[in-house]
Coordinates of all heavy atoms in Angstrom, one line a residue:
A27 N -33.7 11.1 -33.0 CA -32.5 10.8 -32.2 C -32.1 11.9 -31.3 O -31.8 11.7 -30.1 CB -31.3 10.6 -33.2
A28 N -32.2 13.2 -31.8 CA -31.8 14.3 -30.9 C -32.7 14.5 -29.7 O -32.3 14.7 -28.6 CB -31.8 15.6 -31.8
K29 N -34.0 14.3 -29.9 CA -35.0 14.5 -28.8 C -34.8 13.4 -27.7 O -34.9 13.7 -26.6 CB -36.4 14.4 -29.3 CG -36.9 15.6 -30.0 CD -38.3 15.4 -30.5 CE -38.8 16.6 -31.2 NZ -40.1 16.5 -31.8
R30 N -34.5 12.1 -28.2 CA -34.4 11.1 -27.2 C -33.1 11.1 -26.4 O -33.0 10.7 -25.3 CB -34.5 9.7 -27.8 CG -35.9 9.4 -28.5 CD -37.0 9.8 -27.6 NE -38.3 9.6 -28.2 CZ -38.9 10.6 -29.0 NH1 -38.4 11.7 -29.2 NH2 -40.2 10.3 -29.4
A31 N -32.0 11.7 -27.1 CA -30.7 11.7 -26.4 C -30.5 12.9 -25.5 O -29.7 12.9 -24.6 CB -29.6 11.6 -27.5
R32 N -31.2 14.0 -25.8 CA -30.9 15.2 -25.0 C -31.5 15.1 -23.6 O -32.5 14.4 -23.3 CB -31.5 16.5 -25.7 CG -33.0 16.6 -25.6 CD -33.4 17.9 -26.3 NE -34.8 17.9 -26.3 CZ -35.5 18.4 -27.3 NH1 -35.0 18.8 -28.4 NH2 -36.9 18.4 -27.3
R33 N -30.8 15.7 -22.6 CA -31.2 15.6 -21.2 C -32.2 16.7 -20.8 O -33.0 16.5 -19.9 CB -29.9 15.7 -20.4 CG -29.1 14.4 -20.4 CD -27.8 14.4 -19.7 NE -28.0 15.0 -18.4 CZ -27.0 15.2 -17.6 NH1 -25.8 14.8 -17.9 NH2 -27.2 15.7 -16.4
W34 N -32.1 17.9 -21.5 CA -33.0 18.9 -21.2 C -33.3 19.8 -22.4 O -32.3 20.2 -23.0 CB -32.4 19.8 -20.0 CG -33.4 20.8 -19.5 CD1 -33.6 22.1 -19.9 CD2 -34.4 20.6 -18.6 NE1 -34.6 22.7 -19.3 CE2 -35.1 21.8 -18.4 CE3 -34.8 19.5 -17.8 CZ2 -36.2 21.9 -17.5 CZ3 -35.8 19.6 -16.9 CH2 -36.5 20.8 -16.8
P35 N -34.5 20.2 -22.7 CA -35.7 19.5 -22.2 C -35.8 18.1 -22.7 O -35.4 17.9 -23.9 CB -36.9 20.4 -22.7 CG -36.3 21.0 -23.9 CD -34.8 21.2 -23.7
S36 N -36.4 17.2 -22.0 CA -36.5 15.8 -22.4 C -37.8 15.5 -22.8 O -38.7 16.3 -22.9 CB -36.0 15.0 -21.2 OG -35.8 13.7 -21.6
T37 N -38.0 14.2 -23.1 CA -39.3 13.6 -23.4 C -39.6 12.5 -22.5 O -38.7 12.0 -21.7 CB -39.3 13.0 -24.9 OG1 -38.3 12.0 -24.9 CG2 -38.9 14.1 -25.9
V38 N -40.8 12.0 -22.4 CA -41.2 10.9 -21.6 C -40.3 9.7 -21.9 O -39.7 9.1 -21.0 CB -42.7 10.5 -21.7 CG1 -42.9 9.1 -21.0 CG2 -43.6 11.6 -21.2
A39 N -40.1 9.3 -23.2 CA -39.3 8.2 -23.6 C -37.9 8.4 -23.2 O -37.2 7.5 -22.7 CB -39.4 8.0 -25.1
G40 N -37.4 9.6 -23.4 CA -36.0 9.9 -23.1 C -35.7 9.7 -21.6 O -34.7 9.1 -21.2
V41 N -36.6 10.1 -20.7 CA -36.5 10.0 -19.3 C -36.6 8.5 -18.9 O -35.7 8.0 -18.2 CB -37.5 10.8 -18.5 CG1 -37.5 10.5 -17.0 CG2 -37.2 12.3 -18.7
V42 N -37.6 7.8 -19.4 CA -37.8 6.4 -19.0 C -36.6 5.5 -19.5 O -36.1 4.7 -18.8 CB -39.2 5.9 -19.5 CG1 -39.3 4.4 -19.3 CG2 -40.3 6.6 -18.8
W43 N -36.3 5.7 -20.8 CA -35.2 4.9 -21.3 C -33.9 5.2 -20.7 O -33.0 4.4 -20.6 CB -35.1 5.1 -22.9 CG -36.3 4.7 -23.6 CD1 -37.4 4.0 -23.2 CD2 -36.7 5.0 -25.0 NE1 -38.4 3.9 -24.1 CE2 -37.9 4.5 -25.3 CE3 -36.0 5.8 -26.0 CZ2 -38.6 4.6 -26.5 CZ3 -36.6 5.9 -27.2 CH2 -37.9 5.4 -27.5
G44 N -33.7 6.5 -20.3 CA -32.5 6.9 -19.7 C -32.2 6.3 -18.4 O -31.1 6.4 -17.9
V45 N -33.2 5.7 -17.7 CA -33.0 5.0 -16.5 C -32.2 3.8 -16.7 O -31.4 3.4 -15.9 CB -34.4 4.7 -15.8 CG1 -34.2 3.8 -14.6 CG2 -35.0 6.0 -15.4
W46 N -32.4 3.1 -17.8 CA -31.7 1.8 -18.1 C -30.5 2.0 -19.0 O -29.6 1.1 -19.0 CB -32.7 0.8 -18.8 CG -34.1 1.0 -18.3 CD1 -35.2 1.4 -18.9 CD2 -34.6 0.7 -16.9 NE1 -36.3 1.3 -18.1 CE2 -35.9 1.0 -16.8 CE3 -33.9 0.4 -15.7 CZ2 -36.7 0.9 -15.7 CZ3 -34.6 0.2 -14.6 CH2 -36.0 0.5 -14.5
Y47 N -30.5 3.0 -19.9 CA -29.5 3.2 -20.9 C -28.9 4.5 -20.9 O -29.6 5.5 -20.7 CB -30.1 2.9 -22.3 CG -30.6 1.5 -22.5 CD1 -32.0 1.2 -22.2 CD2 -29.8 0.5 -22.9 CE1 -32.4 -0.1 -22.3 CE2 -30.2 -0.8 -23.0 CZ -31.6 -1.1 -22.7 OH -32.0 -2.4 -22.8
E48 N -27.6 4.6 -21.3 CA -27.0 5.9 -21.6 C -27.4 6.2 -23.1 O -27.1 5.3 -23.9 CB -25.5 5.8 -21.5 CG -24.9 5.6 -20.1 CD -24.9 6.9 -19.3 OE1 -25.0 8.0 -19.9 OE2 -24.6 6.8 -18.1
L49 N -28.0 7.3 -23.3 CA -28.5 7.6 -24.7 C -27.6 8.7 -25.2 O -27.4 9.7 -24.6 CB -30.0 8.1 -24.6 CG -31.0 7.0 -24.1 CD1 -32.3 7.7 -23.9 CD2 -31.0 5.8 -25.0
S50 N -27.2 8.6 -26.5 CA -26.4 9.6 -27.1 C -26.7 9.6 -28.6 O -27.2 8.6 -29.2 CB -24.9 9.4 -26.8 OG -24.5 8.2 -27.4
V51 N -26.3 10.6 -29.3 CA -26.3 10.6 -30.8 C -24.9 10.4 -31.2 O -24.0 11.2 -31.0 CB -26.9 11.9 -31.3 CG1 -26.8 12.0 -32.8 CG2 -28.3 12.2 -30.9
A52 N -24.6 9.3 -32.0 CA -23.3 9.0 -32.4 C -22.9 9.8 -33.6 O -21.7 10.2 -33.7 CB -23.2 7.5 -32.7
R53 N -23.8 10.2 -34.5 CA -23.5 11.0 -35.6 C -24.8 11.4 -36.4 O -25.8 10.8 -36.2 CB -22.6 10.3 -36.6 CG -23.2 9.0 -37.3 CD -22.3 8.4 -38.3 NE -20.9 8.6 -38.0 CZ -19.9 8.0 -38.6 NH1 -20.2 7.1 -39.6 NH2 -18.7 8.2 -38.3
R54 N -24.6 12.4 -37.2 CA -25.7 12.9 -38.1 C -25.4 12.4 -39.5 O -24.3 12.4 -39.9 CB -25.7 14.4 -38.1 CG -26.8 15.0 -38.9 CD -26.8 16.6 -38.8 NE -27.7 17.2 -39.7 CZ -28.9 17.6 -39.3 NH1 -29.3 17.5 -38.0 NH2 -29.7 18.2 -40.2
L55 N -26.5 11.9 -40.2 CA -26.3 11.4 -41.5 C -27.1 12.2 -42.5 O -28.4 12.2 -42.4 CB -26.7 9.9 -41.5 CG -26.0 9.0 -40.6 CD1 -26.8 7.7 -40.5 CD2 -24.6 8.8 -41.0
P56 N -26.5 12.9 -43.4 CA -27.3 13.7 -44.3 C -28.1 12.9 -45.3 O -27.8 11.8 -45.6 CB -26.2 14.6 -45.1 CG -25.0 13.8 -44.9 CD -25.1 13.0 -43.6
P57 N -29.2 13.4 -45.8 CA -30.1 12.7 -46.7 C -29.4 12.1 -47.9 O -29.8 11.0 -48.4 CB -31.2 13.7 -47.1 CG -31.2 14.7 -46.1 CD -29.7 14.8 -45.6
E58 N -28.4 12.8 -48.4 CA -27.8 12.3 -49.7 C -27.0 11.0 -49.5 O -26.6 10.4 -50.5 CB -26.9 13.4 -50.3 CG -25.8 13.9 -49.4 CD -26.2 15.1 -48.6 OE1 -27.4 15.4 -48.5 OE2 -25.3 15.8 -48.0
L59 N -26.8 10.5 -48.3 CA -26.2 9.2 -48.1 C -27.1 8.0 -48.3 O -26.6 6.9 -48.4 CB -25.6 9.1 -46.6 CG -24.5 10.1 -46.2 CD1 -24.1 9.9 -44.8 CD2 -23.3 9.9 -47.2
F60 N -28.4 8.3 -48.5 CA -29.4 7.2 -48.6 C -30.0 7.1 -50.0 O -30.1 8.1 -50.7 CB -30.5 7.5 -47.6 CG -30.1 7.4 -46.2 CD1 -29.6 8.6 -45.6 CD2 -30.1 6.2 -45.5 CE1 -29.2 8.6 -44.2 CE2 -29.7 6.2 -44.1 CZ -29.2 7.4 -43.5
V61 N -30.3 5.9 -50.4 CA -31.0 5.6 -51.6 C -32.2 4.7 -51.2 O -31.9 3.6 -50.7 CB -30.1 4.9 -52.7 CG1 -30.9 4.5 -53.9 CG2 -28.9 5.8 -53.0
P62 N -33.4 5.1 -51.5 CA -33.8 6.4 -52.0 C -33.5 7.5 -50.9 O -33.5 7.2 -49.7 CB -35.3 6.3 -52.2 CG -35.8 5.2 -51.3 CD -34.6 4.2 -51.2

């Protein structure tokens, strides 16, 4: 999530997807919220 949403330095996917979509990270979720 962090790599795809950041503007610099970016990734190929982040640049290409960013042409069509505004990308952001809405929130971080710690591991203890999940089962397993």
Side-chain angles (χ1 to χ4, degrees):
K29 284 180 184 177
R30 296 317 175 270
R32 73 178 175 220
R33 288 176 45 183
W34 188 265
S36 192
T37 64
V38 170
V41 171
V42 172
W43 301 346
V45 169
W46 323 116
Y47 297 93
E48 293 279 349
L49 301 170
S50 62
V51 176
R53 66 173 33 169
R54 183 181 173 97
L55 302 168
E58 56 270 13
L59 294 179
F60 297 88
V61 175

